Amino acid sequence: MLIYERNSLVDEIVDLTVEYGKERSALLPILQTLQLRHKCISDFAQQEVARQLSIHPVEVYSVISFYTFLHPESQGRNIVRLCQTISCDLAGKCYLVKAIERELGIKFGQTTKDKRIKLEFTNCLGMCDQGPAMVINERVFTKVTPERAVAILNEVK
Amino acid sequence: METMQIEKTSRKGIVLFSEYVAGSAIRKAVKIGREEVLFELRDSKLKGRGGAGFPTSTKWMITAAASAPKKYIVCNADEGEPGTFKDRVLMMEHPEIVFDGMVIAGYTIGAKTGILYLRGEYYYMLEFLENHLSGMREKNLLGKNIIAKEGFDFDIQIRLGSGAYVCGEETALIESLEGHRGEPRNRPPYPVNTGFMGCPTVVNNVETLASVPHIIMKSGKWFSEYGTDKSTGSKLFSVSGDCENPGVYELPWGMTITEVLDIVGAKNTKAVQVGGASGICLSHAQFNRKLSYEDASTGGSIIVFNESRDILHILQNFMEFFVEESCGQCTPCRIGNVKLLEGVKKLRNGNYTFAEIRNLRELGQTMQVASKCGLGQSSPNAFLSILDNFSAEVFQYTSSDKHNGVNNE
Amino acid sequence: MNSKTESRAPVSQQALRVQQPFDSSQIGAMVTIEINEKKMQVPLGTTILEACAQNQVQIPTLCHHKDLCTAGVCRICVVEVDSMKTLQAACAFPITQQIKIKTSTEKVRKARRHIIDLLLSEHYGECYTCVRNKNCELRSLASEYGVDGFTFGHPEKRKHDIDKSSFSVMRDMDKCVLCRRCVRTCIDLQEVGVLEAVGRGDQTHITTFMGKPLSEVICINCGQCVNRCPTGALYTNDPSDDIWRAIDDKKKHVVIQTAPSPRAAICEEFGMAAGTSLTGELNTALRRIGFDRVFDTNFAADLTIMEEGTELLNRLKSVVVDKDTSVKLPQFTSCSPGWVKFIEHFYPEYLDHLSTAKSPQQMFGAVTKTFYAQEYNINPEDIVTVAVMPCSAKKFECNRPEMDSSGFKDVDYGLTTRELAKMIKEGGIFLPEMPKSGFDDPFGEASGAGLIFGATGGVMEAALRTAYELVTGREVPFEKLRIEACRGFEGIKQASVKLKNCVPDYTFLEGVDLKFIVAHGTANARQVMEMLKAGELNDVHFIEIMACPGGCLGGGGQPIPTSPEIRKKRAEAIYAEDESMTIRKSHENPRIKYIYEKFLTDGPCGHKSHKLLHTHYTKRGNFIV
Ligand SMILES: Cc1cc2nc3c(=O)[nH]c(=O)nc-3n(C[C@H](O)[C@H](O)[C@H](O)COP(=O)(O)O)c2cc1C
Ligand code: SF4
Ligand code: SF4
Ligand code: SF4
Ligand code: SF4
Ligand code: FES
Ligand code: FES
């Protein structure tokens, strides 16, 4: 990481502590914001957060590893999460999986070569009445058919 | 990109979906006073809608009675139970009753801060809910001296989860709010004594809080007339799976499963999962059971399976869910669920002995009593109930069968 | 002193933190309970585990540890409580009302057995080859609670590689039972924060920041996690094979020095109760298994006192007389390598406060390969120096690149108490039966002052015995030379001695109140450093810090288990041995006088001793690359 990138990250984290405070309870909001903006929370960022909140870096890492939506490493520009839980499964999730994997040429759990899309499974999204459901970054798509899924993914930059 | 279809149906229902004017219950609560609110609540016999079914009035009374400089009210909108989506509907369609419920709770127990813990998957609601809160602040339904009542200060902040089912467990939720891993705490002490930041805290489900304004407006007695003796009022059921009209239904407690199946248009039903992944799976013979705390209890999730479904496939899906979503803290749940999953896979490829299955059954019973929190205590429910209720199907395979089992997603 | 540990520790691991679930004004009130149908009274807030222990009812435990806050994660301690549907963890359940407890019903027995079965189903390891064979809590639980087979299977493959990167601590996570004692140790007790639970569900495991090897993160090598691990998942880097090889090599001259704490604790490795020093027996045993010379580390401890004490007086002089602002006070002790690494990482800006004197182990190595080699005409190249230490950080210390002032690696191997006990057993010796014998010359005599280095406050007490006498010409004014203010296990102790009627050289100290602080455990060290940072300690002159709780006697290489009671017994053994000595003050040790006459001719802190006995430190900082 370049020095100026580091410096701007430090500034950003300091700003976040101004917004959320320096208590431990500010940890998750800070991490969530960093994840949203940078698509990952790098080891440098983790240590800086730890320093600002006076906790140990390993505690930050431990918290990140607990929550599915937080990542210590960059996953790709867009994270596609397909619901794998029962109602969506009944609604035909497996056809979606096959179509998406075929179209992108990667398996779930992998990232496309150009880092455009990371495919992940997730658990129930609370859209069970409109399954199969899928989230791309923060947007939810419901009643996704294989054809529509592929069309949506092609639109993602 | 068109995203999801937000239903704009205007629902009608007996309690939650009945008429309500935003802010009216707050005014009435302040007028009748704290004690009267608690009495109404007691008369309503309202029990928690999040799953555990603890009497809400008791929870509030303990917290109201605690002498502590700070108290909190937390609305549990982590709705992670597979097949549950009623809180989503409530918050999107009736944020006013949810938030009014929180304000009344704050007033009653003497909390100045309310926190809505919104699951990360519902991030798209954040802006909508924040806007609603701003609106309430403008109308003086939040903030300082609410509805011009001196000293009635209360505000609500929204905190997001980040994709962990177990954070719906109230103590795990509090851990998460405090910036830790969402690992359930030892209880006692309970949140009503030692909750968020060590202060007395009421954690209530979205639906529980949404019931409160109606109870205040129309009295606890009115509420208790719906439903059964021990399960009063109405309940939002999230119905999904093999039926014509999946969705959220407001029904009084005490209906049989057959009745519900009729309403949602389910045909050729083989099994019904009541209470989500952590609930029980009922077969035809039990469809006359009543949905209520005392019989077939549920936080709202009802998943319907028709004759074409492979029951072991379903069970495997549930067990995979728990293996992933266990917080990994305590031994029975962390390793126990893995063993149950292995057992299901063995059943599917016919590669099991009855002795093994007996051991797993006993293990399931141990998990129910020895796990640290509700997740591990309820995760074997599906396994045990399916073994009991669908034994013919469960034990149909032998290893020589080339069943398409294990690899079949 | 109230530690701020509580706010830092993961809350999930502090069940009884913050408010108690009962009215605190009622503390002391008694509750009547029933355990297995026997009625009894216990104070409100007692845990079920404590109540059972007081009434001779055994409850198995795994994640519970007396030094640590409650976790309640292993669930092995579950019991039945009437009125509750589920079983309750005895270690985490505070009694607040009249309850009836049953500790051995069918449900409970089954649950315990299932839990052990489950742990074994994930436990890759063979007891025969395990360091903790015979002293493993998991293994004992399996044998005591009726486990007679692998009900839920047994792994055949490794899941994790063993982390052998550290000089001190090895991690074999395939033997980990996720009790998280190491996490609570490292985060709460030591406040270093190396280990945490990472991942969720079946992926949960204990690891370091970003899963890096231990050598790349900020571990101070204190080994406290090892001492509290119930299994063989954490262990120290054992050099005994190399030492055997050196012993077997006829060309090598293998010398061993033994520190006071191992001598006071090694009895525990041979099945004896804590609290008996086996110094004489150990000397004989070491000779029998083939060491060429057996020396007493206390000699080097006396040397340390001379150097460090002189350094303190020099600093005082520079500050008081010369008004030299570049000289820093308070001076910190530097004998604990865990503490040295701690300050290098976390408070590098205060390194100037750290005494430049090496630790006794390293001084010993340096004089062995120089002075001893000369006197006895041995080629230093052929000398192998082994140090028996209570400490795992000593292994790191002897491998520091700067520790080569003799022209060789000053100390070749740091060996812990546990590892030495293994060597002695391998040598076919039952230690308690050995006849006693003394140490070898020229480092065969030591004072009681060097001996008490083993307990927290010991260095301070030893230094005061010498410094006071140097400055005033009189003995410290305490009965039997016991400086009680330095003793005991309070986290941070603060006291002072008035210097009066000083001898001519030290008149500048006339009337000075010599203020000192003693702290043990790095959590307390951190607190002292924060006080220093806040400017609260400007009038303090000397601070002793030991990285391990209890001082060296609670070191990471000491026999397992450890608990406050065991450490107290070890301390008693050390203080008793001190009082049985004829020489109680470092400067009175004739061997010390001899070495300054013959070898370190320009005196303490002179040119030669600076080269051999003093060192410098590295500003490491706390950024993990
Ligand atoms: C694993 C687990 C997950 C839970 N998830 C939720 C949830 O998503 N929403 C919820 O309201 N309650 C959930 N609960 C129940 C809560 O622990 C708690 O009982 C509830 O929030 C209390 O509110 P109530 O009294 O209004 O039901 C969960 C419990 C467990 C054990
Ligand atoms: S039962 Fe499961 S989720 Fe609950 S504490 Fe134990 S491991 Fe965590
Ligand atoms: S850790 Fe314990 S159970 Fe495991 S191999 Fe070692 S002695 Fe055996
Ligand atoms: S040796 Fe000490 S610092 Fe290192 S991991 Fe263990 S307890 Fe932490
Ligand atoms: S390494 Fe040892 S102390 Fe740490 S969690 Fe594992 S078994 Fe427990
Ligand atoms: S099961 Fe897929 S959204 Fe609920
Ligand atoms: S010893 Fe009580 S839960 Fe582990």
Side-chain angles (χ1 to χ4, degrees):
Chain A
M1 204 187 271
L2 299 169
I3 298 282
Y4 75 85
E5 283 178 332
R6 284 192 175 188
N7 289 344
S8 78
L9 198 52
V10 171
D11 290 345
E12 189 179 342
I13 292 169
V14 170
D15 288 347
L16 288 174
T17 60
V18 172
E19 186 176 347
Y20 295 113
K22 285 191 159 211
E23 301 291 305
R24 170 113 195 201
S25 57
L27 181 59
L28 267 178
I30 292 176
L31 295 180
Q32 284 161 346
T33 315
L34 289 173
Q35 173 74 37
L36 199 65
R37 291 187 194 157
H38 303 276
K39 305 284 174 198
C40 77
I41 306 153
S42 66
D43 58 346
F44 178 79
Q46 290 178 43
Q47 294 191 57
E48 187 55 29
V49 171
R51 207 166 66 85
Q52 292 291 338
L53 302 187
S54 313
I55 55 179
H56 304 293
V58 73
E59 294 180 81
V60 178
Y61 177 58
S62 160
V63 166
I64 290 176
S65 72
F66 187 88
Y67 296 95
T68 350
F69 294 174
L70 305 177
H71 295 285
E73 275 126 19
S74 179
Q75 302 290 303
R77 293 197 297 282
N78 302 284
I79 300 182
V80 174
R81 296 193 175 90
L82 180 66
C83 173
Q84 63 179 353
T85 310
I86 191 70
S87 299
C88 293
D89 186 281
L90 299 178
K93 165 210 94 185
C94 58
Y95 303 112
L96 277 183
V97 173
K98 283 187 189 133
I100 295 174
E101 287 185 346
R102 194 172 54 228
E103 204 72 20
L104 294 179
I106 53 166
K107 298 263 170 227
F108 269 78
Q110 298 175 336
T111 310
T112 53
K113 271 216 189 73
D114 56 4
K115 299 264 178 234
R116 189 171 66 95
I117 289 176
K118 163 88 193 275
L119 293 180
E120 270 178 15
F121 283 120
T122 185
N123 287 320
C124 184
L125 293 166
M127 291 292 165
C128 328
D129 53 337
Q130 304 166 49
M134 180 167 88
V135 199
I136 300 182
N137 303 327
E138 282 71 43
R139 292 176 74 182
V140 184
F141 298 82
T142 58
K143 293 196 174 154
V144 187
T145 58
E147 202 185 344
R148 208 173 134 240
V150 170
I152 294 169
L153 289 182
N154 284 338
E155 274 183 56
V156 169
K157 287 284 154 331
Chain B
M1 281 185 287
E2 102 202 77
T3 58
M4 54 163 200
Q5 302 145 350
I6 295 175
E7 307 116 291
K8 280 283 167 244
T9 47
S10 66
R11 295 166 202 268
K12 283 274 172 289
I14 41 181
V15 179
L16 289 164
F17 292 136
S18 63
E19 293 295 316
Y20 176 73
V21 182
S24 55
I26 300 179
R27 288 192 179 84
K28 178 149 179 213
V30 170
K31 203 172 90 203
I32 62 178
R34 291 193 169 85
E35 281 180 13
E36 225 23 67
V37 171
L38 287 171
F39 290 151
E40 288 296 341
L41 218 53
R42 191 190 56 202
D43 293 346
S44 74
K45 298 195 232 162
L46 173 66
K47 287 186 185 169
R49 301 305 199 218
F54 191 78
T56 308
S57 60
T58 314
K59 220 184 237 187
W60 288 24
M61 277 176 194
I62 298 175
T63 322
S67 56
K70 272 189 180 169
K71 299 179 192 175
Y72 294 94
I73 161 87
V74 174
C75 175
N76 185 344
D78 195 54
E79 190 165 58
E81 189 65 51
T84 316
F85 43 90
K86 49 153 186 117
D87 295 345
R88 173 199 96 211
V89 169
L90 262 179
M91 286 185 292
M92 286 304 280
E93 297 180 12
H94 295 285
E96 73 283 0
I97 50 172
V98 179
F99 289 134
D100 285 6
M102 284 181 79
V103 178
I104 296 169
Y107 168 72
T108 313
I109 64 166
K112 300 258 176 274
T113 312
I115 302 169
L116 178 87
Y117 188 89
L118 187 67
R119 67 187 305 219
E121 288 85 343
Y122 289 169
Y123 180 82
Y124 62 89
M125 283 187 202
L126 186 60
E127 201 182 312
F128 171 76
L129 295 175
E130 289 284 10
N131 286 343
H132 188 88
L133 289 178
S134 310
M136 285 176 75
R137 282 184 200 109
E138 274 161 31
K139 293 193 204 106
N140 189 220
L141 293 173
L142 278 182
K144 291 228 171 297
N145 302 330
I146 293 174
I147 55 165
K149 163 120 181 132
E150 196 64 34
F152 179 12
D153 304 341
F154 185 76
D155 211 331
I156 296 175
Q157 35 171 300
I158 301 181
R159 292 279 302 266
L160 283 165
S162 262
Y165 163 67
V166 67
C167 286
E169 202 281 339
E170 52 188 4
T171 56
L173 188 153
I174 291 171
E175 285 284 291
S176 173
L177 284 178
E178 290 183 1
H180 294 275
R181 295 159 61 83
E183 293 176 343
R185 296 177 178 175
N186 293 307
R187 312 189 312 164
Y190 298 94
V192 284
N193 297 312
T194 303
F196 182 55
M197 296 300 192
C199 305
T201 304
V202 166
V203 182
N204 271 138
N205 176 252
V206 175
E207 190 185 345
T208 315
L209 289 166
S211 308
V212 173
H214 291 290
I215 293 173
I216 300 300
M217 292 312 287
K218 303 194 188 99
S219 90
K221 200 165 160 300
W222 164 83
F223 185 86
S224 69
E225 275 159 13
Y226 294 101
T228 71
D229 206 29
K230 289 198 174 114
S231 316
T232 54
S234 69
K235 176 82 188 92
L236 297 187
F237 293 100
S238 323
V239 187
S240 63
D242 299 319
C243 61
E244 266 163 35
N245 303 306
V248 171
Y249 293 83
E250 180 175 6
L251 302 170
W253 281 111
M255 293 188 104
T256 64
I257 291 169
T258 314
E259 285 169 310
V260 174
L261 290 177
D262 272 350
I263 297 173
V264 302
K267 298 203 181 63
N268 293 329
T269 306
K270 166 159 107 181
V272 174
Q273 178 79 13
V274 180
S278 55
I280 48 173
C281 193
L282 301 178
S283 66
H284 229 285
Q286 293 141 307
F287 286 177
N288 59 349
R289 285 180 65 175
K290 287 194 166 78
L291 293 167
S292 59
Y293 292 111
E294 57 273 27
D295 189 358
S297 175
T298 170
S301 167
I302 292 186
I303 310 172
V304 186
F305 308 116
N306 69 21
E307 292 291 350
S308 72
R309 304 298 181 181
D310 174 357
I311 204 83
L312 285 175
H313 172 89
I314 294 165
L315 181 55
Q316 181 170 342
N317 189 296
F318 288 151
M319 291 324 299
E320 282 167 354
F321 174 81
F322 287 121
V323 166
E324 233 177 77
E325 295 293 343
S326 153
C327 81
Q329 187 181 191
C330 74
T331 319
C333 170
R334 180 184 69 242
I335 315 180
N337 282 315
V338 175
K339 297 299 151 189
L340 295 188
L341 175 60
E342 279 170 14
V344 177
K345 288 185 179 165
K346 283 186 174 173
L347 284 168
R348 291 190 77 188
N349 57 25
N351 184 16
Y352 61 92
T353 63
F354 280 103
E356 272 174 348
I357 301 303
R358 198 185 55 237
N359 283 337
L360 290 179
R361 217 189 253 272
E362 288 191 353
L363 172 65
Q365 287 156 359
T366 288
M367 290 165 66
Q368 287 179 324
V369 291
S371 295
K372 184 166 178 176
C373 85
L375 191 150
Q377 287 161 8
S378 59
S379 63
N381 289 352
F383 182 89
L384 294 174
S385 62
I386 285 177
L387 249 54
D388 284 342
N389 299 339
F390 299 88
S391 53
E393 191 181 337
V394 166
F395 295 116
Q396 65 181 307
Y397 306 113
T398 61
S399 51
S400 54
D401 286 347
K402 277 280 161 277
H403 173 246
N404 56 0
V406 191
N407 299 322
N408 184 4
E409 281 294 331
Chain C
M1 214 169 277
N2 199 8
S3 158
K4 73 181 184 60
T5 321
E6 294 198 331
S7 60
R8 294 182 63 99
V11 184
S12 57
Q13 292 155 22
Q14 320 170 354
L16 308 180
R17 193 192 63 136
V18 275
Q19 265 181 349
Q20 299 282 354
F22 49 86
D23 186 355
S24 53
S25 63
Q26 292 180 21
I27 283 182
M30 301 297 275
V31 193
T32 311
I33 57 164
E34 236 176 61
I35 300 179
N36 298 337
E37 284 167 8
K38 194 177 142 228
K39 271 206 167 61
M40 61 197 65
Q41 288 219 321
V42 294
L44 191 78
T46 315
T47 62
I48 294 181
L49 185 65
E50 289 161 350
C52 288
Q54 286 158 18
N55 291 283
Q56 296 77 45
V57 177
Q58 293 288 324
I59 306 277
T61 56
L62 189 58
C63 64
H64 177 79
H65 194 283
K66 278 196 178 155
D67 287 330
L68 306 172
C69 55
T70 314
V73 295
C74 73
R75 314 304 287 174
I76 192 83
C77 65
V78 287
V79 296
E80 248 181 76
V81 174
D82 69 328
S83 79
M84 305 199 79
K85 268 189 291 185
T86 55
L87 303 177
Q88 300 298 319
C91 67
F93 193 100
I95 297 169
T96 56
Q97 50 186 320
Q98 301 193 350
I99 48 172
K100 295 189 177 132
I101 300 157
K102 294 227 166 83
T103 64
S104 183
T105 60
E106 189 195 356
K107 237 198 225 172
V108 169
R109 286 197 311 272
K110 266 197 179 149
R112 288 177 184 162
R113 202 186 285 197
H114 276 137
I115 287 166
I116 302 166
D117 277 335
L118 287 175
L119 289 173
L120 294 184
S121 79
E122 297 233 307
H123 190 82
Y124 176 89
E126 292 288 0
C127 303
Y128 329 107
T129 57
C130 180
V131 270
R132 293 294 294 275
N133 189 359
K134 292 189 87 177
N135 186 14
C136 167
E137 294 180 38
L138 179 61
R139 200 183 157 183
S140 327
L141 285 174
S143 78
E144 283 162 27
Y145 290 88
V147 172
D148 49 8
F150 295 123
T151 315
F152 302 117
H154 194 55
E156 278 156 18
K157 275 204 307 258
R158 264 202 177 284
K159 260 185 24 211
H160 309 272
D161 290 334
I162 303 181
D163 177 0
K164 294 187 175 174
S165 63
S166 159
F167 282 119
S168 302
V169 177
M170 316 288 239
R171 300 167 55 238
D172 178 358
M173 286 302 112
D174 281 323
K175 287 183 184 158
C176 174
V177 294
L178 285 165
C179 67
R180 308 199 185 183
R181 284 190 193 169
C182 55
V183 174
R184 282 172 283 153
T185 304
C186 198
I187 293 185
D188 296 3
L189 193 69
Q190 292 293 73
E191 283 198 18
V192 182
V194 176
L195 302 171
E196 243 294 17
V198 164
R200 187 178 76 200
D202 63 330
Q203 303 297 316
T204 315
H205 60 291
I206 306 292
T207 191
T208 57
F209 180 65
M210 299 293 278
K212 290 179 191 287
L214 205 55
S215 58
E216 290 177 24
V217 296
I218 300 172
C219 166
I220 63 166
N221 305 305
C222 64
Q224 290 303 307
C225 50
V226 178
N227 275 11
R228 285 169 186 77
C229 179
T231 69
L234 297 174
Y235 55 99
T236 44
N237 186 357
D238 184 354
S240 52
D241 282 348
D242 295 341
I243 297 172
W244 282 123
R245 214 168 296 128
I247 289 176
D248 294 339
D249 186 341
K250 289 281 159 294
K251 244 185 82 207
K252 296 285 183 206
H253 181 79
V254 189
V255 305
I256 187 164
Q257 47 162 319
T258 65
S261 293
R263 306 190 314 229
I266 198 164
C267 62
E268 296 162 38
E269 289 285 334
F270 292 86
M272 295 169 67
T276 313
S277 277
L278 295 181
T279 312
E281 291 83 346
L282 192 59
N283 290 343
T284 315
L286 291 174
R287 289 194 186 93
R288 288 204 187 168
I289 62 175
F291 287 100
D292 296 307
R293 289 287 182 280
V294 181
F295 295 141
D296 188 350
T297 306
N298 295 347
F299 162 81
D302 286 336
L303 202 53
T304 305
I305 288 299
M306 298 307 292
E307 295 293 329
E308 203 164 306
T310 310
E311 183 184 351
L312 177 66
L313 294 174
N314 289 348
R315 284 192 194 221
L316 280 167
K317 183 156 189 277
S318 306
V319 171
V320 177
V321 181
D322 311 336
K323 310 270 183 249
D324 183 347
T325 49
S326 71
V327 173
K328 298 284 191 274
L329 279 177
Q331 173 179 311
F332 285 110
T333 57
S334 60
C335 358
S336 167
W339 152 243
V340 169
K341 193 147 185 271
F342 184 87
I343 189 174
E344 284 180 334
H345 280 301
F346 295 107
Y347 297 94
E349 65 276 24
Y350 287 94
L351 280 177
D352 289 343
H353 289 257
L354 204 54
S355 162
T356 57
K358 286 181 183 171
S359 71
Q361 161 178 299
Q362 292 308 125
M363 288 200 180
F364 214 120
V367 292
T368 305
K369 291 199 176 174
T370 51
F371 173 62
Y372 171 71
Q374 254 174 45
E375 287 259 301
Y376 287 75
N377 213 358
I378 305 169
N379 183 355
E381 220 168 295
D382 292 333
I383 298 181
V384 175
T385 47
V386 179
V388 177
M389 291 288 147
C391 177
S392 52
K394 291 281 174 196
K395 294 172 190 289
F396 174 85
E397 184 184 32
C398 74
N399 281 300
R400 279 178 179 254
E402 65 269 24
M403 293 298 179
D404 62 348
S405 51
S406 61
F408 305 90
K409 189 176 171 194
D410 291 344
V411 173
D412 292 284
Y413 303 108
L415 190 68
T416 65
T417 315
R418 293 192 297 269
E419 293 153 0
L420 176 64
K422 261 181 75 185
M423 285 186 76
I424 293 176
K425 286 177 191 166
E426 195 174 349
I429 288 170
F430 184 63
L431 185 63
E433 286 175 348
M434 283 292 105
K436 293 182 196 225
S437 61
F439 290 100
D440 289 316
D441 276 339
F443 309 132
E445 250 170 310
S447 74
L451 208 117
I452 57 174
F453 264 51
T456 165
V459 179
M460 185 60 69
E461 183 166 345
L464 289 176
R465 285 183 192 169
T466 292
Y468 188 87
E469 201 163 319
L470 286 185
V471 173
T472 65
R474 299 182 307 276
E475 269 192 352
V476 276
F478 297 102
E479 194 208 334
K480 294 196 179 158
L481 300 182
R482 290 180 194 149
I483 309 184
E484 293 294 345
C486 297
R487 300 188 179 189
F489 289 131
E490 206 186 310
I492 299 175
K493 291 168 289 210
Q494 210 163 349
S496 61
V497 204
K498 193 122 192 143
L499 300 174
K500 274 188 301 203
N501 303 333
C502 296
V503 296
D505 276 354
Y506 292 105
T507 44
F508 68 93
L509 290 175
E510 185 63 42
V512 167
D513 221 5
L514 193 67
K515 284 200 174 158
F516 58 89
I517 289 182
V518 173
H520 60 122
T522 41
N524 292 317
R526 200 182 268 278
Q527 215 180 323
V528 169
M529 292 310 292
E530 291 301 326
M531 283 153 68
L532 182 65
K533 249 185 168 170
E536 292 165 27
L537 303 182
N538 289 341
D539 56 346
V540 175
H541 303 103
F542 196 24
I543 300 183
E544 177 204 301
I545 291 184
M546 291 290 161
C548 293
C552 305
L553 53 85
Q558 290 284 65
I560 300 171
T562 182
S563 72
E565 296 83 54
I566 293 176
R567 293 195 291 273
K568 194 159 160 264
K569 287 267 183 289
R570 291 178 190 160
E572 282 163 9
I574 286 177
Y575 285 122
E577 208 179 338
D578 165 40
E579 293 197 3
S580 72
M581 307 282 284
T582 37
I583 309 168
R584 306 275 306 282
K585 291 169 267 175
S586 301
H587 57 280
E588 288 178 358
N589 180 349
R591 293 284 156 190
I592 290 289
K593 291 182 184 158
Y594 182 73
I595 197 172
Y596 280 112
E597 269 162 33
K598 293 282 274 198
F599 185 62
L600 304 167
T601 41
D602 43 5
C605 290
H607 184 71
K608 202 153 184 188
S609 77
H610 250 287
K611 187 172 163 288
L612 274 183
L613 306 182
H614 289 254
T615 185
H616 55 89
Y617 304 103
T618 316
K619 287 193 174 172
R620 290 176 200 268
N622 60 2
F623 184 71
I624 304 169
V625 199

